[in-house]
Amino acid sequence: MEFRHILFPVDFSKPCEQIVPWVVQMAGSFGSRLTLLHVWESPYVWSGEIDPRLLEGLTRFEELEGHQRTALEEFRRAHLPSAGAEIVLRKGYPAEEITEYARATDVDLIMMPTHGYGRFRAALLGSVTAKVIHDALCAVWTSAHIEKLHSPPYPPRQIMCAVDGTEESFKIIRLAKSLAEDLECSWIVVHALSPGEAQLESQLVSRLQTCEELAQGNIPICVEKGEVAEVVPEMARRYGADVLVIGRGHAPDFFGSWRSHVYAIMTATPCPVLTI
């Protein structure tokens, strides 16, 4: 797996600051080009109408943009002084601008926090993050959905790959293996078996074992019965996963069986989640 260009959307929030060490580690491990992107919403975007004060002259609008650029530059100096990151300022709706920029500049990985606050919002994914995950064509890394994110272990110890047994699973396994090799850490494959599928456990394991990446490394396949959104986060906790790798369902058959679980898994998993 190659992450040649990493995009780090910056909104100046505390969760955004907390993932800086992870961004630095990932960019350093892959020798990636790193771009900090801040998307600001101008007054007419906020209200749907042009703010009358902006009609007084263009200088007011330019001042707003200048403040945003200065803040982004200060963020880079304060948090990534030696990362060699470039900064980009865009105006518009954050999720749309992030995904559009990622497509236009061949971004391989977007890294951003989930913004889950409080008891109610902790059960939800931030709207910008959710839309980016849904629309982006590249991999998306999101922080653990907890109030305080711990610093990344170095080197990483364990990558967990969660699959559902469809053809898409083999792609996810190959990418997880590549990531584990690049980060020089161990990895395991897990699957949550729905109660009605108990009789298919042996068939599932046999099918996954045909994957060359698993056969070569004698990688453990852990299967546990229960609801996907509950079992996968619990297994990540139990096995001490540093990163959970899951698919988003680009293939038609994978879409229906897995996409509905992605957000629920991300909000309950105690480690960062990489969706590919």
Side-chain angles (χ1 to χ4, degrees):
M1 180 179 290
E2 287 188 86
F3 295 136
R4 293 162 295 184
H5 187 187
I6 295 176
L7 180 63
F8 178 21
V10 174
D11 62 3
F12 310 119
S13 65
K14 189 65 175 178
C16 187
E17 293 178 7
Q18 287 182 345
I19 75 169
V20 167
W22 293 83
V23 173
V24 171
Q25 182 192 83
M26 193 68 78
S29 297
F30 290 90
S32 311
R33 168 190 171 193
L34 177 60
T35 300
L36 309 187
L37 171 67
H38 175 63
V39 182
W40 67 289
E41 299 178 83
S42 63
Y44 67 80
V45 172
W46 299 332
S47 63
E49 299 178 355
I50 296 178
D51 188 328
R53 290 172 296 180
L54 293 179
L55 299 179
E56 297 174 4
L58 191 59
T59 55
R60 181 68 58 83
F61 184 87
E62 291 174 338
E63 285 177 13
L64 290 171
E65 185 173 22
H67 288 320
Q68 301 296 325
R69 187 173 298 280
T70 298
L72 185 57
E73 180 59 49
E74 290 177 349
F75 183 93
R76 176 174 63 176
R77 286 200 301 266
H79 300 287
L80 297 121
S82 61
E86 58 184 295
I87 62 172
V88 174
L89 191 68
R90 299 284 287 261
K91 176 173 62 66
Y93 295 102
E96 294 177 4
E97 293 297 328
I98 291 169
T99 53
E100 180 184 325
Y101 181 85
R103 290 192 189 101
T105 60
D106 295 322
V107 166
D108 303 295
L109 175 66
I110 300 172
M111 299 185 71
M112 59 195 304
T114 55
H115 287 296
Y117 299 109
R119 292 163 122 194
F120 175 69
R121 289 196 62 191
L124 303 174
L125 209 59
S127 58
V128 173
T129 305
K131 185 165 177 54
V132 169
I133 292 169
H134 185 276
D135 295 345
L137 300 179
C138 62
V140 180
W141 181 104
T142 56
S143 60
H145 210 63
I146 54 179
E147 187 173 345
K148 183 173 178 57
L149 180 67
H150 64 80
S151 296
Y154 191 83
R157 298 158 301 193
Q158 178 87 276
I159 288 177
M160 176 177 288
C161 173
V163 299
D164 73 343
T166 63
E167 287 301 318
E168 186 79 359
S169 298
F170 296 96
K171 172 189 173 184
I172 305 304
I173 289 171
R174 286 191 292 271
L175 292 176
K177 175 181 182 288
S178 176
L179 181 63
E181 289 177 344
D182 290 332
L183 296 178
E184 299 181 345
C185 63
S186 61
W187 64 293
I188 62 174
V189 174
V190 301
H191 174 75
L193 200 64
S194 300
E197 300 176 332
Q199 72 280 7
L200 302 178
E201 180 174 351
S202 60
Q203 297 177 28
L204 171 71
V205 173
S206 296
R207 185 162 187 263
L208 291 177
Q209 285 175 336
T210 64
C211 182
E212 184 178 347
E213 286 74 13
L214 294 179
Q216 289 179 343
N218 195 26
I219 303 302
I221 302 173
C222 306
V223 179
E224 187 161 319
K225 300 179 181 64
E227 297 299 326
V228 173
E230 297 175 2
V231 170
V232 173
E234 175 54 34
M235 295 177 85
R237 187 175 294 106
R238 184 189 314 157
Y239 290 104
D242 295 313
V243 178
L244 171 66
V245 179
I246 60 176
R248 277 175 288 172
H250 296 297
D253 61 336
F254 196 59
F255 183 90
S257 62
W258 186 257
R259 175 65 70 83
S260 60
H261 299 298
V262 170
Y263 299 154
I265 289 172
M266 295 177 68
T267 57
T269 299
C271 65
V273 177
L274 177 63
T275 56
I276 51 182

